[in-house]
Amino acid sequence: MKKILMLTTGGTIASLQTEHGLVPGISGEDLVNFLPELKNMCEVDVLPLFTLDSTNIYYEHWLKIASSIKENYEKYDGFVICHGTDTMSYTASALSYLIQNSQKPIILTGSQKPINLEISDAKTNLLDSFTYACSDVSCGVTLVFNGNVILGTRARKSRTKSFDAFKSVDYPVIGIVKDGYVISYITNLSRETKFYDNLNPNVGLIKLIPGVSSEIFEFMLSHHDAVIIESFGVGGLPMYNDNKINEIIAHYTKEGKIIIMTTQVPNEGSDIATYKVGHYLKENANILEAYDMTTEAVVTKLMWILSLTKEIEKVKKLFYETISNDILFKKD
């Protein structure tokens, strides 16, 4: 019988109704008690880390989760992380870079409704996660939700209330859990597991809107080591009459600031060379392109890379290196 460590962080799955709305308050042991089936499936230990709404989770919590798994890695066959849905895809991406090529399953799950309600997706998601954790084909960082097994670097929350809350962006689900069985579509090749213990949170993001002020670019680039720009369509920057945005971009990239161009369109990624408004950006060595990476993956991958180096050529090499199938359609 396999040994699984469940790490709890709060989230809707562990929330109680209060006069101020839902607040995490159900213990990890109580979560396990809602699933008597686990006694015949695996040995479960519980490690409480936080009791937070996932809106309040940020990079220090990702580091704590990763270090807790590292400390217990040799003691257990797999790990299940109970997490709120709002930032679960960010945590899944972050863990994909902090714990690379894990030969053991590291699974994030949660729910849209608390586990103590009569109608809830919590029990199913949690049981499916333990089922997948006990499977001999499971490995790496994944998100298990509504029966789908999604790669950690490809997960995104796409619905705010429905049980089918997450989708896999520009990559197929790697498996499903149905009626207590795991059907695996894609099996990751096992390589040497690598742990990292640092992130650089000095990463910013700008989402373009028509008429966006150049002052936003000035502020963000002056306060961050790297800035991600979610542009329109396949990508580009607006060329307004004063061309101030492009002047600011040129100034700060000469100073060594790094810019990642991506798209706010949900699927199919960026291709900034397609139009004039983006084509010229390819000539700037400090401007990289996300292609088919999710914004969540871009944010957390940059935090990981910048904790290792700020040299543009090394940043570029690491950014375009495919890790856990995070980027597949990059161009030269």
Side-chain angles (χ1 to χ4, degrees), residues 30-171:
D30 285 338
L31 289 176
V32 171
N33 289 336
F34 276 99
L35 298 175
E37 306 97 317
L38 290 180
K39 295 179 180 179
N40 298 320
M41 182 184 298
C42 57
E43 296 180 28
V44 180
D45 289 333
V46 177
L47 178 61
L49 296 181
F50 333 111
T51 306
L52 295 172
D53 185 302
S54 72
T55 296
N56 294 319
I57 284 182
Y58 58 105
Y59 78 98
E60 289 187 351
H61 301 106
W62 301 336
L63 292 172
K64 178 61 176 178
I65 295 170
S67 66
S68 297
I69 292 174
K70 181 180 180 181
E71 291 169 6
N72 291 281
Y73 197 75
E74 298 305 323
K75 303 175 186 176
Y76 294 92
D77 300 301
F79 304 86
V80 173
I81 304 164
C82 290
H83 196 288
T85 60
D86 287 349
T87 58
M88 190 187 296
S89 54
Y90 281 97
T91 300
S93 287
L95 292 177
S96 298
Y97 301 115
L98 290 169
I99 309 172
Q100 296 180 22
N101 309 319
S102 176
Q103 298 183 39
K104 298 179 180 181
I106 300 169
I107 299 157
L108 290 101
T109 195
S111 64
Q112 295 285 65
K113 298 289 185 181
I115 199 168
N116 63 351
L117 296 186
E118 184 177 351
I119 299 176
S120 172
D121 54 335
K123 294 179 184 178
T124 298
N125 288 342
L126 194 54
L127 185 60
D128 285 351
S129 296
F130 278 102
T131 300
Y132 189 67
C134 292
S135 170
D136 291 333
V137 301
S138 61
C139 61
V141 178
T142 58
L143 189 155
V144 173
F145 212 94
N146 197 47
N148 292 316
V149 183
I150 303 172
L151 203 61
T153 58
R154 292 289 179 168
R156 173 172 290 168
K157 189 174 182 180
S158 59
R159 298 178 185 273
T160 59
K161 297 180 179 181
S162 301
F163 290 172
D164 185 16
F166 287 87
K167 67 177 181 178
S168 183
V169 178
D170 292 330
Y171 195 83

